[in-house]
């Protein structure tokens, strides 16, 4: 009970402060997107939230429009539609900033399992049932582990199979562990680690050392 109150108080205050402080930056990003790739600037997609209830997750649009994407289409490893400016936003997770609005509304938390589309919830419904007892989040241990997920899937001969049979089951393990062991101080640690990873990651197009997730991939999935 104390954890839930602290978590919501933090989410509410931090998201409100973040939206107010970052408003000029968010406006600049929106205008830059409008000039470089047109409208819409914000991409909304149906994801599954706490209790299995769908909600509309918000992101800056980083890909060329695709019919059906808003309702939950999925292109694992598909990077052909990413715009040049969108690639920069994705590299530094700037495209996720509109989710501060989802956090403010109470649909998401700063830390929690990443929300999935209906298609992937239906693949492992029993496991998702326990995970969806809490709010999804902007970041979590699985997001840190699979920070280079797009590159991993793009290198796979069958990205959808790799996601369904290798990556998603491992993500679910990490989600389940988070649900069992979550603490307020642990959440703060995840947020700080996320910020550190973003600040120290290579620029788009620069290939450094492999991430833990890439090194852990079976040879046939690399």
């Amino acid at each position: 009970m104390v954890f839930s109150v602290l978590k919501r108080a933090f989410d509410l205050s931090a998201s409100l402060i973040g939206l107010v402080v970052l408003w000029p930056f968010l406006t600049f990003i929106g205008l830059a997107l409008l000039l470089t790739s047109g409208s819409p600037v914000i991409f909304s997609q149906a994801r599954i939230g706490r209790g299995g209830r769908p909600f509309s997750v918000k992101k800056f649009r980083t890909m060329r429009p695709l019919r059906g994407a808003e309702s939950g289409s999925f292109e694992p490893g598909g990077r052909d539609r990413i715009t040049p400016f969108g690639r920069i936003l994705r590299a530094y997770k700037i495209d996720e900033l509109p989710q501060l609005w989802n956090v403010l509304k109470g649909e998401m938390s700063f830390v929690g399992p990443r929300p999935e589309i209906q298609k992937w919830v239906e693949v492992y419904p029993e496991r998702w049932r326990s995970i969806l007892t809490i709010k999804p989040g902007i970041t979590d241990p699985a997001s840190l582990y699979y920070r280079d997920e797009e590159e991993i899937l793009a290198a796979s001969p069958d990205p959808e199979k790799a996601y369904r049979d290798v990556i998603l089951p491992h993500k679910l393990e990490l989600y389940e562990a988070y649900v069992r062991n979550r603490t307020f101080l642990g959440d703060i640690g995840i947020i700080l680690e996320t910020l550190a990873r973003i600040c120290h990651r290579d620029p788009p197009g620069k290939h450094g050392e492999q991430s833990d997730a890439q090194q852990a991939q079976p040879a046939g999935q690399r």
Side-chain angles (χ1 to χ4, degrees):
M1 181 64 179
V2 175
F3 169 74
S4 298
V5 172
L6 280 175
K7 188 176 177 71
R8 181 55 188 155
F10 175 83
D11 285 342
L12 187 61
S13 57
S15 60
L16 182 58
I17 292 170
L19 286 168
V20 172
V21 171
L22 293 174
W23 180 250
F25 179 68
L26 297 175
T27 302
F28 169 77
I29 295 297
L31 290 173
L33 282 170
L34 192 63
L35 292 172
T36 57
S37 57
S39 62
V41 168
I42 299 294
F43 172 70
S44 300
Q45 187 178 59
R47 299 287 180 96
I48 305 302
R50 185 178 184 179
R53 293 183 292 272
F55 72 100
S56 181
V57 72
K58 307 297 182 184
K59 294 186 176 187
F60 280 124
R61 184 173 63 83
T62 59
M63 305 179 82
R64 291 186 293 276
L66 175 69
R67 181 174 296 178
E70 294 82 1
S71 59
S73 67
F74 179 71
E75 295 179 281
R79 296 183 293 176
D80 294 341
R81 292 193 301 114
I82 301 176
T83 63
F85 186 52
R87 197 172 300 278
I88 297 172
L89 299 186
R90 291 164 80 96
Y92 296 101
K93 304 301 181 184
I94 296 171
D95 62 316
E96 309 282 357
L97 287 177
Q99 286 164 43
L100 290 172
W101 178 246
N102 291 117
V103 175
L104 184 65
K105 290 174 65 180
E107 297 167 331
M108 292 179 67
S109 176
F110 274 96
V111 181
R114 285 295 296 166
E116 270 288 6
I117 60 173
Q118 183 71 40
K119 171 180 178 177
W120 297 118
V121 173
E122 292 174 352
V123 175
Y124 301 101
E126 293 301 321
R127 299 186 69 179
W128 276 107
R129 189 166 290 114
S130 63
I131 294 166
L132 292 175
T133 57
I134 67 172
K135 292 178 185 177
I138 295 177
T139 186
D140 72 309
S143 299
L144 293 170
Y145 190 89
Y146 286 104
R147 61 191 181 278
D148 296 318
E149 181 181 310
E150 285 186 355
E151 287 76 9
I152 297 169
L153 291 173
S156 171
D158 189 339
E160 186 152 339
K161 185 176 187 298
Y163 187 77
R164 182 186 65 242
D165 298 341
V166 180
I167 292 180
L168 183 54
H170 186 219
K171 278 186 173 183
L172 291 172
E173 289 179 17
L174 296 173
Y175 294 159
E176 289 164 342
Y178 172 77
V179 172
R180 289 193 304 268
N181 305 310
R182 65 193 189 279
T183 66
F184 184 70
L185 288 179
D187 279 7
I188 299 301
I190 291 170
I191 292 171
L192 293 176
E193 185 175 356
T194 299
L195 294 173
R197 295 282 184 93
I198 291 172
C199 292
H200 291 93
R201 74 171 292 123
D202 289 331
K206 181 178 179 181
H207 300 286
E209 295 181 0
Q210 289 182 312
S211 69
D212 294 339
Q214 288 173 305
Q215 293 175 19
Q217 281 294 101
Q221 299 292 350
R222 290 183 186 173

